[in-house]
Amino acid sequence: MEVKTKKVNQTETVLQAENINIYYGDFQAVRGVSLNIPKQRVTAFIGPSGCGKSTILRSFNRLNDLVNGFRLEGKIYYQGQNLYDAKIDPVEVRRKIGMVFQKPNPFPKSIYDNIAYGARVNGIAKSKEEMDALVERSLRQAVLWDEVKDKLKQSGFSLSGGQQQRLCIARTVAINPDVVLMDEPCASLDPISTLSIEELINELKENYTIVIVTHNMQQASRVADMTAFFNAKAAEGGKRFGYLVEYDKTETIFQCPQEEDTQRYVSGRFG
Ligand SMILES: Nc1ncnc2c1ncn2[C@@H]1O[C@H](COP(=O)(O)OP(=O)(O)OP(=O)(O)O)[C@@H](O)[C@H]1O
Ligand SMILES: [Mg+2]
């Protein structure tokens, strides 16, 4: 597969996938994917269901290690280091490369402790004052502070879905990651919460590198600087594998893509 990164600005690459194949047991889910994720930009992954978007995203913070039968060929570099090198500690990787899931998953703890827990485990805030400041800063970064500042002791579950998702984002940024991976973070949210998460993503990219999987074309065109379009096709034997069709600046993918499949997908004439 040809690597299409020629139009990427002169920005630093944070994550670099080099000709990766991903298998679950005998099944090849992803074939021949190469792409560079630029620093402090938002990169969107789009494409039909089953084309391997979540699989690739999870391989960026070694979350697939926990899946039976998972196997990766090729290389993924994070800040130039081979992410799958035996010397790399996957727990440390997941601290640097955080993940926000489709369904908000706050811990069964207070709003305060949802943030404080990870910070405590990672030794980020030492004193009560430092922790209070970190909780406030993280909740402000996730644009949630004003809504929860008077009820920090209440359960995270007492919040609305959109607030819970912002709490999960606050929890992720509290441990000071480099990269935030988001797998359809707005899939279970109403349009207003979706917009507030999108505004938040725009603010977060000042400090973080973001990769977001979305089925919402408007969302990709609103938030992403770069967009990767994936598709699936049948291999010998009929099983379908995912591959990268085209990767470019978002406006190019949406307005003048090079591949006909991309054009058909982004204009809703796919399938
Ligand atoms: N844990 C797993 N074990 C076995 N196969 C898996 C596993 N996770 C995903 N797959 C398979 O790998 C392929 C890619 O799945 P993946 O979840 O990455 O797709 P996706 O692009 O994220 O789809 P969607 O848009 O529906 O979320 C699919 O065929 C799926 O069935
Ligand atoms: Mg998925």
Side-chain angles (χ1 to χ4, degrees):
M1 177 69 49
E2 188 191 348
V3 194
K4 290 178 176 155
T5 51
K6 63 181 188 301
K7 288 184 189 154
V8 181
N9 293 335
Q10 297 304 317
T11 53
E12 209 178 304
T13 292
V14 173
L15 282 159
Q16 182 182 8
E18 216 179 74
N19 199 19
I20 56 172
N21 297 314
I22 301 179
Y23 302 83
Y24 294 108
D26 293 339
F27 170 63
Q28 181 166 22
V30 168
R31 185 179 287 186
V33 169
S34 298
L35 86 177
N36 290 350
I37 305 293
K39 188 182 171 98
Q40 288 170 350
R41 296 283 187 277
V42 179
T43 301
F45 285 1
I46 62 171
S49 184
C51 68
K53 305 177 296 296
S54 299
T55 294
I56 297 169
L57 200 69
R58 288 195 302 259
S59 71
F60 282 168
N61 77 342
R62 297 200 44 177
L63 214 56
N64 280 329
D65 289 19
L66 313 169
V67 175
N68 246 343
F70 165 78
R71 188 162 60 85
L72 179 127
E73 290 171 355
K75 294 277 193 310
I76 298 177
Y77 294 100
Y78 166 58
Q79 313 271 32
Q81 274 190 308
N82 178 359
L83 201 60
Y84 284 79
D85 191 283
K87 291 197 295 282
I88 302 277
D89 174 6
V91 174
E92 178 64 10
V93 168
R94 289 177 210 128
R95 199 186 75 68
K96 292 279 196 193
I97 307 177
M99 176 85 94
V100 174
F101 297 89
Q102 175 171 351
K103 205 163 152 281
N105 58 347
F107 301 135
K109 293 178 185 294
S110 68
I111 293 167
Y112 185 99
D113 281 331
N114 258 279
I115 315 282
Y117 178 74
R120 216 172 273 135
V121 168
N122 287 289
I124 287 174
K126 308 272 182 305
S127 63
K128 164 95 170 64
E129 290 69 36
E130 271 181 42
M131 190 62 89
D132 287 352
L134 177 72
V135 168
E136 176 170 344
R137 190 170 67 240
S138 308
L139 288 168
R140 281 191 188 281
Q141 272 188 298
V143 201
L144 186 58
W145 174 250
D146 287 338
E147 289 157 73
V148 302
K149 63 180 182 226
D150 299 322
K151 50 178 184 182
L152 295 174
K153 293 261 152 54
Q154 282 183 27
S155 163
F157 295 131
S158 68
L159 299 172
S160 74
Q163 291 172 328
Q164 287 187 22
Q165 195 60 304
R166 278 176 285 151
L167 180 64
C168 293
I169 293 171
R171 177 177 83 187
T172 305
V173 298
I175 59 169
N176 201 21
D178 276 347
V179 181
V180 180
L181 309 174
M182 298 182 167
D183 197 349
E184 301 187 51
C186 301
S188 62
L189 304 181
D190 67 82
I192 299 202
S193 306
T194 296
L195 279 181
S196 71
I197 300 279
E198 288 180 12
E199 282 166 17
L200 169 58
I201 290 171
N202 261 322
E203 288 176 25
L204 289 177
K205 79 171 184 192
E206 305 258 320
N207 296 303
Y208 305 95
T209 299
I210 295 174
V211 186
I212 178 173
V213 173
T214 180
H215 279 285
N216 179 333
M217 295 299 119
Q218 283 81 25
Q219 178 161 78
S221 60
R222 281 192 298 257
V223 303
D225 301 289
M226 299 289 294
T227 296
F229 169 57
F230 297 89
N231 196 6
K233 66 180 169 199
E236 325 68 47
K239 287 197 174 150
R240 293 168 72 78
F241 65 88
Y243 66 103
L244 177 62
V245 177
E246 188 165 358
Y247 180 44
D248 215 318
K249 282 183 184 161
T250 297
E251 59 188 44
T252 305
I253 292 291
F254 282 88
Q255 282 160 25
C256 49
Q258 296 190 354
E259 303 294 328
E260 205 175 311
D261 280 350
T262 314
Q263 177 63 42
R264 283 168 54 230
Y265 189 78
V266 299
S267 60
R269 287 179 286 117
F270 204 79

